[in-house]
Amino acid sequence: MQWIADSGMCATDRERAWTVATHSADFFARFAPVADDDRLLAAALWVYWGFAFDDARCDSGPLSSRPAQFNALAGQVQRACETDSAVGSDRFIGALQDIMRRFRGFAAPTQVSRFVHAHRAWLSGVAWQIGNQAVGRMPGLDDFLAMRLLSSGGEPTFALLELATGAEIPDRELHRPAVRALTEMAILVAALDNDRHSLHKELAGGQADQNLYTVLMQERSCPLQEAVTAGTALRDRVLLRFTHLHDRVRPTASTELAGYLQGLRHGVRGNNEWGLRVPRYLSDGRWPDEMDDTLLTWAEEPSDSRAGPVEGAPSIAWWWDADLA
């Protein structure tokens, strides 16, 4: 927590309290339980940084509906991710460069490069989201899912797996279409779970402008409860496809790829456990409450087990291609 206080990225005590209350070390330890302490610390620092940046500059800050200004900042932030010699006046830039120095200190250049590219993908998705908000545009389901794959921050979060564990996955395996599909499915399931976790708080705060349920309410002209039911079914179908495809890919995976696939599985489960307890989604006041330790219960079976692509979502239909393996 000392790093958060010393980093300069939080402007007020309240911002700092909410950043600490993301419990990002708990969050990412669930993704990479085999990581050593130094690597896990560096990965967790980026997650703390990412949540703080998201709150102050993306979702609800002064740039959340000003795409031109956000894009200018995003360019500076991305360049700071790429090189330590970049300069910028925003309070998040120095903290990010400190984290990147840690990564470069222990990780192979390939692993750092993969994270940098994933970071760029995330910022591009946030720019898409802010562009929609600026003109009051509610995306359709297919556009939303494509955007959410990027804007959720899942790309850099799962790219942290290599940095945290030290396992360098060969290009020929990581870039296989089936592995890419598994990565995207893990990202989307986690993102849609977060949409569900944050729904109550966003509705109460008037911030639920672009999430799965508001998208479905508009596209299908249905009430919220019906949208929640449909959204849960969509999420479950993606997760079911993930498990089936994983079981086809895993038997021939190298040790490094097998560890990465297990990290995807840990991430889906860990994100859900964390999201159901974290003050980020549960606390309604100006200051965060303590972490909830309520015993969680899980459904015994998916709410929708239909095979085949999700209707009305061609941008993700390829995940169900029969030749993926």
Side-chain angles (χ1 to χ4, degrees), residues 30 189-190 192-194 196-197 232 235-236 239 265-278 292-303:
R30 297 175 184 273
V189 169
L192 299 186
D193 283 341
N194 289 351
R196 180 65 180 271
H197 299 150
T232 302
R235 177 264 189 202
D236 286 356
L239 181 57
R265 287 155 56 94
H266 282 316
V268 169
R269 174 63 181 261
N271 174 75
N272 211 350
E273 291 177 331
W274 166 87
L276 288 166
R277 292 186 170 116
V278 72
D292 191 340
D293 61 357
T294 302
L295 182 66
L296 302 177
T297 57
W298 306 97
E300 294 294 329
E301 57 187 23
S303 63

Side-chain angles (χ1 to χ4, degrees), residues 7 17 21 24 43 50 129 147 162 203 205-206 228 230 242 260 283 286 314-315:
S7 69
S24 296
Q129 172 186 302
M147 180 190 77
E162 280 192 285
L203 288 172
V228 169
F242 173 90
Y260 176 76
S283 297
R286 284 181 50 80
S315 66

Side-chain angles (χ1 to χ4, degrees), residues 86-120:
V87 296
S89 59
D90 190 85
R91 56 188 162 99
F92 286 94
I93 287 177
L96 176 59
Q97 288 176 314
D98 177 68
I99 295 166
M100 294 305 301
R101 284 192 293 270
R102 293 169 187 254
F103 291 163
R104 295 187 184 98
F106 60 65
T110 298
Q111 296 171 322
V112 176
S113 179
R114 287 171 178 170
F115 176 79
V116 167
H117 285 292
H119 203 271
R120 183 182 297 111

Side-chain angles (χ1 to χ4, degrees), residues 14 17-23 200-201 277-293:
R14 183 166 171 263
W18 279 104
T19 299
V20 171
T22 64
H23 293 273
H200 170 77
K201 187 170 182 177
R277 292 186 170 116
V278 72
R280 178 176 180 82
Y281 299 135
L282 299 182
S283 297
D284 292 325
R286 284 181 50 80
W287 295 85
D289 299 319
E290 295 297 319
M291 190 82 159
D292 191 340
D293 61 357

Side-chain angles (χ1 to χ4, degrees), residues 42-255:
L45 292 182
W46 183 83
V47 181
Y48 279 115
W49 179 92
F51 281 129
F53 183 82
D54 182 65
D55 288 343
R57 299 288 184 260
C58 306
D59 278 353
S60 57
L63 305 185
S64 61
S65 60
R66 302 169 67 190
Q69 291 84 348
F70 176 81
N71 287 343
L73 173 62
Q76 294 179 356
V77 168
Q78 181 58 30
R79 192 56 181 163
C81 182
E82 295 165 354
T83 176
D84 201 44
S85 64
V87 296
S89 59
D90 190 85
R91 56 188 162 99
F92 286 94
I93 287 177
L96 176 59
Q97 288 176 314
D98 177 68
I99 295 166
M100 294 305 301
R101 284 192 293 270
R102 293 169 187 254
F103 291 163
R104 295 187 184 98
F106 60 65
T110 298
Q111 296 171 322
V112 176
S113 179
R114 287 171 178 170
F115 176 79
V116 167
H117 285 292
H119 203 271
R120 183 182 297 111
W122 166 52
L123 292 175
S124 74
V126 176
W128 187 352
Q129 172 186 302
I130 289 175
N132 285 340
Q133 182 151 320
V135 296
R137 176 180 180 266
M138 180 68 75
L141 178 63
D142 190 50
D143 267 2
F144 171 78
L145 295 176
M147 180 190 77
R148 199 75 177 100
L149 280 168
L150 300 171
S151 66
S152 67
E155 289 279 3
T157 301
F158 281 111
L160 287 173
L161 286 171
E162 280 192 285
L163 295 170
T165 64
E168 188 172 342
I169 308 158
D171 282 343
R172 67 180 181 277
E173 289 196 298
L174 186 64
H175 297 306
R176 285 172 55 189
V179 176
R180 181 60 198 167
L182 287 167
T183 301
E184 289 191 356
M185 284 188 273
I187 291 171
L188 188 63
V189 169
L192 299 186
D193 283 341
N194 289 351
D195 279 4
R196 180 65 180 271
H197 299 150
S198 63
L199 180 62
H200 170 77
K201 187 170 182 177
E202 289 182 352
L203 288 172
Q207 296 177 340
D209 63 319
Q210 293 179 72
N211 65 43
L212 176 62
Y213 309 108
T214 54
V215 166
L216 287 171
M217 288 169 68
Q218 173 171 287
E219 183 150 305
R220 302 185 181 186
S221 300
C222 66
L224 176 60
Q225 189 53 55
E226 187 176 325
V228 169
T229 299
T232 302
L234 187 161
R235 177 264 189 202
D236 286 356
R237 288 176 68 181
V238 174
L239 181 57
L240 195 61
R241 174 56 177 163
F242 173 90
T243 60
H244 289 166
L245 184 57
H246 170 274
D247 291 347
R248 292 176 61 185
V249 173
R250 174 64 181 83
T252 60
S254 67
T255 300

